Amino acid sequence: MNGLSTENESNNMYPATGLQSEKSFKPDFKLNRSLPENLKFLEELSWNFYWSWRPSAVNLFRDLDPQLWDEVEQNPRQLLRKIGGLRLWQRANDADYVRALNNFESEFRDYISQPAAEIVGISMDRPVAYFCAEYGVHNSLPIYSGGLGILSGDHLKSASDMNAPLVAVGLFYRYGYFRQSIGHDGWQEERYQNSFDQNLALKPVLDDEGERVLVSITMRGREVFAQVWLAQVGRISLYLLDTNVQKNNDVDRFITGHLYGGDVDTRVVQEKILGIGGVKLLRKLGIKPSVFHLNEGHSAFLTLELAREFLAENPQADFNDAIANVRSQCVFTTHTPVSAGNDVFSPELIEACFDQSFIEDLRIEKNELFALGRVNPDDENEAFGMTPFALRMTRTANGVSKKHGEVSRELWNEMFPEASVDDVPITHITNGVHAPTWIAPAFQDLFSQHIGENWKDVANDWESWKSAVEAISDSEVWRSHKLLKSLLISFIRQRTFSTDTGTQDTIHEHDDTNRLFDPGVLTIGFARRVAAYKRWNLLMSDLERLLKMVDDENRPVQFVFAGKAHPQDRNGKVLLQNLMALDNNSQWQRRAVFIEDYDQEVARYLVQGVDVWMNVPRRPMEASGTSGQKAAMNGGLNLSILDGWWIEGDNGINGFSIGDLDDPDISQEEIDARDAEALYNVLETQVIPDFYELDENGLPSKWIGRMKNAIATLTPQFSSDRMLRDYFSSIYKQD
Ligand SMILES: *Cc1c(COP(=O)(O)O)cnc(C)c1O
């Protein structure tokens, strides 16, 4: 099937479409109600995701109606629309509440009124344009699937906090990514929700006449239009393209329907909308970026639009001149450690996507276009890879951890035949996470008390931060952690409670949750995509040995799992089903749970509440990983294979390492067996004994020492603030 006939929506995992009413093309997401005068600021605040990383602002929404807040899944606009009048007027009459709201209003106005800073010579008149296919800003904007999206969301939040000159471009997926539930039989089921039914914090982007800005992109032999939404992420504008426009035919309307729906025909046109449409949009808005950041290869087609523009302005120039010009403006971040992990398109797909006149505008033949996406340009059997293409069209490329930089240099060495592996021009910037988003309010509060309200700035100076954290008393750190652990356990009990459990309790649903989990028991979290390289099986490889730990009378262990399998990944679903079905004459049913629908909200409870965060990927497949960084900032100890970021993070105290760094020349089965042995061994001889060892005051002081060391050493090094500074000083900066 080629791109000209993409009736891909017949895939029955998608909801039926039907023709949409006029209204569904033009939702304005208005509240259609007015708030009491002294609460009006809440509506303004709900338009800016800044609230989501300020605990006091989260509380302002939650305290309006805590039960409704959970029902609307922490969507403030939905809350403001649905909340009953009595609740609203009670708050409007609550002096403490109104005072807190007014205080936050001052903070907010102060924050957003500051003009963008100039950083390494880059300022808002020539900003950085950040392109990514997904953004995980907050659950109430469901346009992310996992790690890449969370990373780009954190990138924007740190950019906002440092007042960086940056604008962001992405796609608005009307049905987002799937929501997961697990049936009684343990089989994963997928659901898609129409986000247009929600009150999203998205504003339509309008032109001077008040009409919607539309960009048009030619593909599959016709013009496709995309409208634009604006999400405000603190001081950062995030523009989202959306082809659900009445002018488009039914198929084209669904180009931006789903995130990672799984077929390449849709994927390639989505990427054209993102890349080509994104550049056209910036031009329409009068934004003239000095740097285009391709965060992963999905947006790499933008380089062709830049080339087309250059050639249109320079009639004498040829395509090589254009490449030189484009390269000087573009930087690329790669995120996977395998070539097959990146998008690869057949020549037919590329051809359907880029018609002859576009290729003529580039002053090349279509074979030359195909060659741009090949590792070996002369190999006509090679398909078009977005990573080789991006590497060719950008001035710098980087992986997302030191190890991933090495792996990428090796992986793409063939493209640079004259270079030795070490000289392949791919560097690295290690990923980080946004501390205010991921550190629990209980710990932020502790830091404010002991380090100061500006604790986040203190973290920029690693030494000062370390001594300040080490100075906090053990008992206070432990108390905060225990609070969060109890919160996690009540969350687990609520999420797994089921009044309709079918025949028996499974680890994703229980009818009696009171006996589930114990706050005194060592709690290990394992939440990740159900992909083969994450090795969900490793922990179960010796069931007897595992259950011996779980059942131990004095020093038991409990496990919380979460993660989605890709809708088309049968093996992954079988694996999950086996995990659900694991039943046994042991305490397993009571000490293991699976939380459905892993997302940003679930992740927060987990990384903030567990004692240990486990990660057992097959090396070197974890390009970076970020969830362990979130856990560490909350005093969680990583128990991880030495891969990705953990190679840089581990110091022997701030967590536990499994296996070593050698790459022995043995089979995959043997490596798995060795790693499983090492995992059990570390659990039995280090993790469990350390956790249960109490000092004369009844505190696990050795463990708390490790927790403090994790917070002290890992928070500054793996914050997205550090990551942003690195991007500015070594990637965005012009020579
Ligand atoms: C942080 C996060 C991820 C990325 O975690 P990994 O360490 O790459 O597994 C994925 N999904 C969600 C919801 C997250 O919050």
Side-chain angles (χ1 to χ4, degrees):
M1 188 165 93
N2 71 32
L4 286 168
S5 60
T6 50
E7 262 56 83
N8 52 65
E9 302 305 334
S10 61
N11 188 332
N12 62 12
M13 74 189 204
Y14 295 144
T17 65
L19 279 178
Q20 292 114 25
S21 66
E22 168 77 359
K23 187 167 162 282
S24 77
F25 295 104
K26 297 184 177 166
D28 50 16
F29 304 131
K30 290 211 176 98
L31 290 185
N32 295 326
R33 79 183 296 170
S34 64
L35 299 176
E37 195 59 37
N38 60 356
L39 302 185
K40 278 219 152 57
F41 171 63
L42 284 169
E43 153 133 60
E44 185 181 343
L45 184 60
S46 71
W47 284 116
N48 191 319
F49 286 96
Y50 181 63
W51 69 265
S52 71
W53 71 89
R54 297 293 295 136
S56 53
V58 175
N59 294 349
L60 287 170
F61 288 120
R62 186 203 55 198
D63 292 349
L64 281 178
D65 186 337
Q67 192 177 341
L68 183 60
W69 182 236
D70 282 341
E71 272 165 33
V72 299
E73 300 187 315
Q74 298 81 40
N75 177 339
R77 299 198 50 71
Q78 192 78 335
L79 176 87
L80 293 179
R81 200 181 58 158
K82 289 196 166 172
I83 187 171
L86 179 59
R87 279 267 173 283
L88 263 184
W89 284 102
Q90 280 171 339
R91 288 297 165 262
N93 281 275
D94 174 343
D96 287 341
Y97 182 86
V98 174
R99 198 171 309 116
L101 182 66
N102 291 342
N103 286 344
F104 193 78
E105 180 173 355
S106 316
E107 174 191 324
F108 176 77
R109 298 213 181 288
D110 195 41
Y111 183 91
I112 55 162
S113 65
Q114 317 211 358
E118 184 184 305
I119 304 176
V120 298
I122 301 173
S123 62
M124 210 53 203
D125 29 282
R126 300 294 312 277
V128 174
Y130 183 85
F131 278 68
C132 193
E134 50 169 314
Y135 289 90
V137 175
H138 183 260
N139 259 9
S140 60
L141 185 57
I143 54 167
Y144 71 96
S145 77
L148 179 69
I150 301 287
L151 179 81
S152 57
D154 283 0
H155 197 101
L156 302 193
K157 293 173 191 173
S158 272
S160 173
D161 286 347
M162 68 193 274
N163 213 349
L166 184 142
V167 297
V169 179
L171 298 176
F172 178 69
Y173 306 96
R174 186 174 173 196
Y175 292 93
Y177 196 58
F178 76 91
R179 306 279 308 255
Q180 175 197 54
S181 51
I182 307 285
H184 291 317
D185 57 358
W187 195 248
Q188 170 178 298
E189 290 156 11
E190 295 104 27
R191 254 163 323 124
Y192 286 88
Q193 273 178 346
N194 183 352
S195 326
F196 274 18
D197 296 342
Q198 307 288 315
N199 266 60
L200 299 171
L202 291 181
K203 288 192 172 167
V205 175
L206 308 176
D207 62 20
D208 293 341
E209 275 83 56
E211 293 297 315
R212 288 204 71 136
V213 167
L214 286 181
V215 294
S216 88
I217 303 107
T218 307
M219 55 177 131
R220 300 162 170 176
R222 57 184 181 258
E223 219 177 353
V224 175
F225 296 91
Q227 59 187 1
V228 192
W229 302 97
L230 172 64
Q232 203 59 50
V233 184
R235 296 153 170 153
I236 302 296
S237 296
L238 165 60
Y239 295 99
L240 300 168
L241 295 152
D242 168 19
T243 62
N244 188 30
V245 174
Q246 196 166 26
K247 281 196 196 180
N248 290 335
N249 73 24
D250 278 0
V251 171
D252 293 341
R253 268 180 220 163
F254 268 84
I255 291 174
T256 57
H258 306 83
L259 172 59
Y260 304 145
D263 82 59
V264 289
D265 308 84
T266 308
R267 189 71 170 249
V268 71
V269 289
Q270 281 185 342
E271 295 186 8
K272 187 167 179 191
I273 301 280
L274 174 63
I276 309 267
V279 172
K280 289 189 167 187
L281 168 66
L282 293 175
R283 301 306 183 213
K284 270 208 162 163
L285 298 173
I287 297 170
K288 302 190 188 75
S290 58
V291 187
F292 291 83
H293 184 174
L294 288 58
N295 191 42
E296 189 49 301
H298 307 122
S299 58
F301 289 142
L302 75 84
T303 59
L304 294 179
E305 177 64 11
L306 294 179
R308 195 196 57 75
E309 286 179 346
F310 174 85
L311 291 166
E313 285 161 21
N314 296 277
Q316 307 304 323
D318 65 15
F319 188 65
N320 281 331
D321 302 325
I323 289 189
N325 177 275
V326 170
R327 280 178 55 107
S328 72
Q329 307 174 60
C330 295
V331 302
F332 170 50
T333 301
T334 173
H335 288 265
T336 76
V338 280
S339 53
N342 296 288
D343 279 320
V344 178
F345 300 123
S346 68
E348 293 74 34
L349 275 177
I350 297 291
E351 202 173 349
C353 207
F354 293 95
D355 60 14
Q356 194 50 39
S357 77
F358 186 91
I359 298 172
E360 277 166 22
D361 285 347
L362 296 177
R363 295 174 204 155
I364 50 176
E365 301 292 325
K366 73 181 182 202
N367 280 329
E368 293 172 85
L369 173 63
F370 300 157
L372 290 171
R374 296 186 187 127
V375 174
N376 175 1
D378 302 326
D379 178 1
E380 300 208 346
N381 293 319
E382 199 186 320
F384 190 98
M386 292 302 267
T387 305
F389 176 54
L391 287 170
R392 220 166 246 126
M393 302 297 282
T394 55
R395 71 167 192 238
T396 72
N398 69 280
V400 289
S401 70
K402 185 160 180 281
K403 175 73 181 175
H404 183 234
E406 285 164 24
V407 170
S408 302
R409 286 191 287 278
E410 222 169 278
L411 193 61
W412 304 108
N413 196 172
E414 219 186 315
M415 281 186 69
F416 307 90
E418 69 293 351
S420 67
V421 180
D422 292 341
D423 294 332
V424 170
I426 303 177
T427 177
H428 77 274
I429 303 277
T430 304
N431 285 344
V433 299
H434 185 243
T437 295
W438 293 105
I439 298 179
F443 271 106
Q444 294 197 37
D445 211 42
L446 199 62
F447 300 156
S448 293
Q449 278 173 37
H450 290 266
I451 304 172
E453 292 289 339
N454 67 336
W455 59 266
K456 190 166 167 271
D457 303 326
V458 175
N460 293 338
D461 176 356
W462 297 14
E463 284 309 313
S464 313
W465 172 260
K466 186 159 186 290
S467 39
V469 170
E470 301 282 3
I472 304 174
S473 75
D474 283 7
S475 59
E476 282 179 284
V477 169
W478 192 240
R479 193 179 328 124
S480 300
H481 174 63
K482 296 285 276 189
L483 270 174
L484 290 161
K485 192 169 173 181
S486 295
L487 182 67
L488 169 64
I489 291 174
S490 51
F491 174 73
I492 285 171
R493 289 177 175 172
Q494 181 166 322
R495 278 287 185 112
T496 52
F497 178 73
S498 168
T499 49
D500 166 31
T501 57
T503 51
Q504 63 179 80
D505 281 3
T506 62
I507 66 165
H508 70 290
E509 47 178 9
H510 298 257
D511 54 8
D512 174 12
T513 52
N514 290 328
R515 298 181 323 122
L516 197 63
F517 265 53
D518 179 335
V521 171
L522 170 61
T523 303
I524 301 183
F526 184 75
R528 21 209 92 247
R529 258 181 316 127
V530 185
Y533 82 87
K534 301 277 194 183
R535 294 196 295 191
W536 277 66
N537 276 327
L538 208 67
L539 181 68
M540 324 289 162
S541 57
D542 185 344
L543 210 51
E544 207 177 310
R545 202 164 164 186
L546 170 66
L547 293 177
K548 194 153 168 277
M549 287 188 268
V550 171
D551 287 340
D552 191 289
E553 274 189 30
N554 300 316
R555 304 186 311 177
V557 184
Q558 57 198 7
F559 289 93
V560 50
F561 301 97
K564 295 175 176 177
H566 190 277
Q568 269 121 36
D569 179 9
R570 260 197 80 83
N571 292 338
K573 293 188 189 180
V574 169
L575 196 151
L576 279 182
Q577 191 172 38
N578 292 339
L579 175 68
M580 303 311 148
L582 209 152
D583 185 16
N584 205 283
N585 292 327
S586 81
Q587 300 284 347
W588 177 256
Q589 291 293 359
R590 180 160 98 73
R591 296 208 171 123
V593 293
F594 182 89
I595 306 290
E596 291 164 286
D597 205 26
Y598 182 46
D599 63 10
Q600 200 170 346
E601 188 67 13
V602 174
R604 224 189 315 271
Y605 280 104
L606 261 51
V607 297
Q608 295 175 354
V610 296
D611 299 301
V612 169
W613 191 252
M614 187 173 87
N615 194 17
V616 289
R618 187 168 286 149
R619 299 179 60 230
M621 298 291 286
E622 190 79 298
S624 167
T626 52
S627 56
Q629 303 170 347
K630 304 167 191 166
M633 292 183 182
N634 289 284
L637 298 186
N638 278 269
L639 164 63
S640 175
I641 294 280
L642 279 163
D643 198 13
W645 77 280
W646 184 237
I647 300 175
E648 292 157 66
D650 168 50
N651 69 1
I653 303 169
N654 56 13
F656 305 90
S657 291
I658 304 164
D660 52 38
L661 274 168
D662 295 338
D663 289 311
D665 193 14
I666 54 176
S667 72
Q668 200 52 65
E669 289 71 33
E670 284 174 87
I671 290 177
D672 288 355
R674 275 194 197 188
D675 286 347
E677 169 60 34
L679 168 64
Y680 290 124
N681 190 48
V682 174
L683 278 168
E684 291 161 351
T685 64
Q686 296 179 45
V687 182
I688 297 174
D690 274 13
F691 181 81
Y692 285 106
E693 183 185 317
L694 302 183
D695 66 12
E696 62 281 5
N697 301 316
L699 282 181
S701 46
K702 185 169 178 191
W703 188 270
I704 301 170
R706 285 179 176 275
M707 290 174 69
K708 280 160 67 170
N709 193 269
I711 297 171
T713 59
L714 301 172
T715 304
Q717 191 178 351
F718 298 100
S719 79
S720 50
D721 286 8
R722 187 274 307 148
M723 174 176 80
L724 253 287
R725 285 197 300 274
D726 286 352
Y727 272 105
F728 270 94
S729 61
S730 57
I731 302 287
Y732 298 156
K733 188 178 173 198
Q734 314 268 6
D735 288 328

